[in-house]
Every structure is written in structure tokens, then in C-alpha cells.
Amino acid sequence: MLAAEENRLFDIGKITRPHGLKGDVKVIPTTDFPERFANMTSVIIETPTGRRARYTVEKVQYQRGFVIMHFEGVNDVDAAEKLRNALLLVTQDELVPLPAGHYYLFELIGLDVVTQEGNRLGKLTDIFRTGANDVYVVKPDENDRHDYLLPAI
């Protein structure tokens, strides 16, 4: 089942280190919805070596902006240490549903970009997250070597 899920995966957190001696791990959420962890039954973990596997979530706690998680089969500090710096991934179907009028950034890729006057600039090909504001990369057409970089403000 995991092979089919690997087509479109999205990271929602990163394991920083073991937490305690019983296999718990400390996670930095990378999602806008950290409350999602409380309702998760499983998650795909990708280790820094690129190995992916689905783990059953047994326990979730919140602690000072971090999430403390325990996974089935990870029962001691040595097993938890093997997950250090691993990413927590979910499939597109497991993303938090957004309210009407809201969207995920990946849903914008491939859309036509048009000025307020109705002039087509090209297709949105990438989005850079700069911190202050996102920057949209727009490719005018396949033959044009120059992209537009548009601040999303």
C-alpha cells in the first residue's frame, strides 16, 4: 500500500530527537495545523537515508510548541534514535481540509497567471517561501528562458 501513497507526500513535521527512555520522539511541526497530530492514527516516516515506512501513532502530547509522539514498535531510546531527523509525511488525502476560498500552495502550480487588465503572463511553475512573503515563479511559455518572479503581496 505504501508504494501507491508515495506519489504525492507532504511533510507535516520533523523528528528532532528521542524524548525520554521509552521510545517517544520530539517533533517540530511544519504544518499550519499542529492540532492535526492529536487525531492521527498513522503517519509515513522518511528517515534521512530515504527509507519510508508507515507507523501507527500510539500517543501524542503537546509541549512548548513541540509534539511528543510515540509510535508502535518504537519502544526504547535506541529505536527512537534511529528516527532522528526523519520527516513525518502524509498523503494528499490525509491533508487537513481547508475552508471554501482557501487553498494549499501546491494547488496553485500550473495555473495561468493573468494581470488585472487580463493579459496572460504565463503559468505558475514554482513558489519560493521567503518568510516575509511568498514569491511566485511564472514561466511565460516553453520557449522563453526568462521567468517572472512575482511577490505574493
Side-chain angles (χ1 to χ4, degrees), residues 42-74:
S42 69
V43 68
I44 297 168
I45 296 180
E46 180 180 74
T47 64
T49 61
R51 186 181 68 80
R52 291 180 181 163
R54 186 167 282 278
Y55 284 75
T56 299
V57 177
E58 289 189 339
K59 181 177 77 173
V60 174
Q61 296 175 289
Y62 295 91
Q63 185 181 76
R64 297 185 197 128
F66 293 95
V67 181
I68 309 301
M69 300 183 77
H70 187 86
F71 302 106
E72 184 179 285
V74 181

Side-chain angles (χ1 to χ4, degrees), residues 81-150:
E81 182 63 42
K82 292 176 183 173
L83 300 178
R84 183 185 289 267
N85 296 319
L87 295 177
L88 302 182
L89 306 171
V90 295
T91 64
Q92 188 169 340
D93 291 342
E94 295 170 310
L95 290 174
V96 173
L98 298 178
H102 291 77
Y103 49 84
Y104 283 103
L105 293 179
F106 74 88
E107 295 174 308
L108 300 177
I109 303 296
L111 293 178
D112 283 329
V113 178
V114 181
T115 67
Q116 289 181 343
E117 294 78 27
N119 298 322
R120 183 181 179 280
L121 295 178
K123 287 211 180 279
L124 182 65
T125 59
D126 202 358
I127 300 172
F128 296 126
R129 312 280 323 254
T130 65
N133 57 273
D134 295 341
V135 176
Y136 295 161
V137 180
V138 179
K139 184 136 189 90
D141 63 49
E142 279 93 40
N143 299 327
D144 198 332
R145 293 185 358 210
H146 302 286
D147 295 337
Y148 293 113
L149 300 177
L150 305 175

